[in-house]
Amino acid sequence: MGNTLDLLGGLSRDELRSFCWIAAAVFALVAGLWRWRRLHWTALGAVLLFAALNAGAGIYVLNNFRDSRWSAGGEAPLSAPSFSQTPIVGQYLGPLDSALQGVVGGVNDFLAFKQALPVALDFLAVSGWALLLSFPLAILAAVISFAMARRRSADFEKYRATVDLLKDELEQVKRQISAGTSVGTEIPARTPLNKHATERLTT
C-alpha cells in the first residue's frame, strides 16, 4: 500500500488521469488475450476497473488536498505576520503569533481544499459515468452468456443424439454378426447310410 501511495505521489493530475486509462486498457488487453472467448465479460471488467481507479483517485485527492499538485496556479497560501520581533513589546506578543498562525493555517487548508475539490469531483464524475456504462454492459454480457449457454446445450443434445444413434447402429451390427456366426457354426444333420455301405460295414 505504501509503495502504491509513493507511486501516486510522483504523478501529476494529468498523469494520474492517464494512469487510470492505461491501467484499464492494459487489463482489457491482457484479459482479452487470455480469455478471448469471453470478451464481453472482459469489457465489463475493464469498465468496472476504470470506475474503481477513478473513484480511488478522487478519494486520494481529497485525502491529500494540501498537495500543491491540485492548485494549478490558484491562490497562493497565506502567511501570518510575526509580532514577536516587535521592539519592546515583542516578547508579549508571542501568543498572538501562535493564534495568527493557527488561523492562517485553517484558511490555507480551506483554500487548498477548495482547489482540490474540483479535481476530486472530476475523478468521481468519470467514475460515475463508467458505472452507468457498466449497467447496460452487464445486461449485454448476461444476454450473450445466456445465448452461448443455450447454444452449447443444443450442441450437447445434438452430440448425445448422434452418440445414441451410433450405439443403436452398433447394437444392430452386433446382433447381425451374432446371428451370422450362429448359422455358420451350426452342426450339419447326419445323412442315413445307403444299403451298400450298410452291407459293407456288416461284412
Side-chain angles (χ1 to χ4, degrees), residues 18-32 42 46-47 49-50 53:
S18 299
F19 170 76
C20 297
W21 283 98
I22 294 173
V26 170
F27 170 81
L29 179 61
V30 173
T42 299
V47 171
L49 176 62
F50 181 71
L53 289 174

Side-chain angles (χ1 to χ4, degrees), residues 1-194:
M1 184 67 177
N3 293 333
T4 303
L5 292 179
D6 292 341
L7 175 63
L8 295 179
L11 299 178
S12 65
R13 177 172 58 181
D14 294 335
E15 291 172 343
L16 187 59
R17 185 176 292 108
S18 299
F19 170 76
C20 297
W21 283 98
I22 294 173
V26 170
F27 170 81
L29 179 61
V30 173
L33 293 176
W34 179 41
R35 306 182 72 177
W36 59 272
R37 292 187 177 182
R38 297 188 175 184
L39 291 177
H40 46 289
W41 291 116
T42 299
L44 177 61
V47 171
L48 290 176
L49 176 62
F50 181 71
L53 289 174
N54 277 276
I59 295 173
Y60 173 78
V61 172
L62 291 178
N63 286 335
N64 298 272
F65 65 90
R66 295 184 183 88
D67 200 312
S68 60
R69 289 177 290 172
W70 326 130
S71 61
E75 301 177 10
L78 303 178
S79 59
S82 176
F83 295 99
S84 60
Q85 303 299 324
T86 304
I88 301 175
V89 296
Q91 58 181 342
Y92 303 105
L93 300 179
L96 181 60
D97 283 354
S98 300
L100 285 176
Q101 289 176 1
V103 172
V104 171
V107 173
N108 286 332
D109 286 344
F110 173 77
L111 293 176
F113 183 80
K114 187 178 72 172
Q115 292 172 354
L117 184 59
V119 179
L121 290 179
D122 286 342
F123 284 108
L124 294 176
V126 173
S127 177
W129 283 111
L131 286 177
L132 287 178
L133 179 61
S134 67
F135 285 107
L137 280 178
I139 295 174
L140 179 61
V143 170
I144 294 175
S145 295
F146 180 73
M148 293 176 64
R150 289 193 61 181
R151 187 178 64 181
R152 285 195 297 266
S153 179
D155 292 340
F156 177 76
E157 292 295 333
K158 185 188 300 183
Y159 294 149
R160 188 169 64 177
T162 303
V163 170
D164 292 340
L165 180 61
L166 292 176
K167 287 174 63 177
D168 292 340
E169 293 179 354
L170 181 60
E171 291 296 330
Q172 292 177 7
V173 172
K174 286 182 178 180
R175 286 195 294 267
Q176 292 175 0
I177 292 175
S178 299
T181 303
S182 61
V183 171
T185 58
E186 183 179 356
I187 299 175
R190 294 179 62 185
T191 57
L193 296 174
N194 56 27

